[in-house]
């Protein structure tokens, strides 16, 4: 009989522990949105200034010389989470320029030496921060055509506000056009880049 009493006491103690664990788990779940909001507020606005030059191009741009391009992006102080992945939204603008180095012909159109394929990129971006590293996906306009970009960079943090990163970036445009409105078709390039990030 005494053993039965001890067994009942143990059961009650285990039930109390499980109930307390469930309460703590529910509290953690409720605090998650607040924790994300606090972390986003601590991050503030993030400005990335990037400089890079195309190193690899698709066949459409094989006979074109590239230049140094610059880009600037801003990420808003809003942090989202989906299945454990945290991400932010932002905007990016940048430049690109290629110059034809070989006389060639595309269909009935002739592309002369010195003709350019250049313009401005303007994209909405989704950024996945990971310490002093970052992965970005962009969708928007590349010159006069729709396009997209993918980027990965990693580096070091200097103080609490500045990051210096290096990485690679791929840009694709669905319909490239030269300065003389010659349609080149789908064009893409990959460049190495250096990024200076500032958290405000």
């Amino acid at each position: 009989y005494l053993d039965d009493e001890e067994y009942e006491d143990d059961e009650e103690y285990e039930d109390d522990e499980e109930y307390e664990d469930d309460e703590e788990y529910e509290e953690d779940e409720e605090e998650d949105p607040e924790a994300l909001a606090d972390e986003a507020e601590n991050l503030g606005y993030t400005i990335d200034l990037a400089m890079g030059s195309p190193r690899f191009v698709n066949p459409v741009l094989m006979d074109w010389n590239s230049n140094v391009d610059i880009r600037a992006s801003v990420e808003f102080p809003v942090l989202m989470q989906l299945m454990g992945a945290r991400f932010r939204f932002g905007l990016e603008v940048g430049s690109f320029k290629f110059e034809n180095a070989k006389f060639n012909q595309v269909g009935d159109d002739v592309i002369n030496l010195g003709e350019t394929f250049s313009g401005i990129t303007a994209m909405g971006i989704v950024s996945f921060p990971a310490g002093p590293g970052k992965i970005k996906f962009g969708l928007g306009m590349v010159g006069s055509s729709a396009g997209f970009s993918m980027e990965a960079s990693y580096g070091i943090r200097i103080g609490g506000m500045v990051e210096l990163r290096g990485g690679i970036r791929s840009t694709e445009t669905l319909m490239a056009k030269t300065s003389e409105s010659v349609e080149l078709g789908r064009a893409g390039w990959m460049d190495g880049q250096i990024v200076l990030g500032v958290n405000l």
Side-chain angles (χ1 to χ4, degrees), residues 125-143:
I125 59 172
V126 178
S127 172
F128 296 84
K134 192 175 290 186
I135 296 173
K136 289 183 184 179
F137 296 94
L139 183 65
M141 300 299 293
V142 180

Side-chain angles (χ1 to χ4, degrees), residues 117 142 144-147 172-177 182-187:
F117 163 50
V142 180
S144 59
S145 172
E172 295 275 342
T173 177
L174 302 182
M175 181 55 69
K177 286 185 180 181
V182 177
E183 294 186 356
L184 300 176
R186 182 170 179 172

Side-chain angles (χ1 to χ4, degrees), residues 115-172:
E115 198 165 333
T116 61
F117 163 50
S118 61
I120 300 295
T121 62
M123 297 187 180
I125 59 172
V126 178
S127 172
F128 296 84
K134 192 175 290 186
I135 296 173
K136 289 183 184 179
F137 296 94
L139 183 65
M141 300 299 293
V142 180
S144 59
S145 172
F148 60 91
S149 67
M150 295 174 285
E151 174 185 323
S153 60
Y154 194 80
I156 58 174
R157 181 168 291 157
I158 305 171
M161 297 179 60
V162 179
E163 294 176 356
L164 184 62
R165 307 191 307 273
I168 57 174
R169 174 190 171 95
S170 176
T171 306
E172 295 275 342

Side-chain angles (χ1 to χ4, degrees), residues 15-77:
D15 291 341
D16 290 341
E17 277 192 335
E18 288 176 1
Y19 180 72
E20 288 175 1
D21 290 342
D22 290 341
E23 280 189 334
E24 289 177 1
Y25 179 72
E26 289 174 1
E27 286 177 3
D28 289 343
E29 279 192 327
E30 291 175 358
E31 289 175 1
D32 276 347
E34 294 181 4
L36 282 175
D38 291 341
E39 189 172 339
E41 189 173 345
N42 291 335
L43 287 171
Y45 287 90
T46 299
I47 297 174
D48 280 351
L49 303 175
M51 180 175 63
S53 179
R55 299 292 88 190
F56 301 99
V57 297
N58 73 341
V60 170
L61 299 175
M62 287 293 290
D63 298 324
W64 297 69
N65 293 327
S66 59
N67 289 268
V68 175
D69 303 320
I70 57 173
R71 287 178 294 275
S73 68
V74 58
E75 297 167 25
F76 306 121

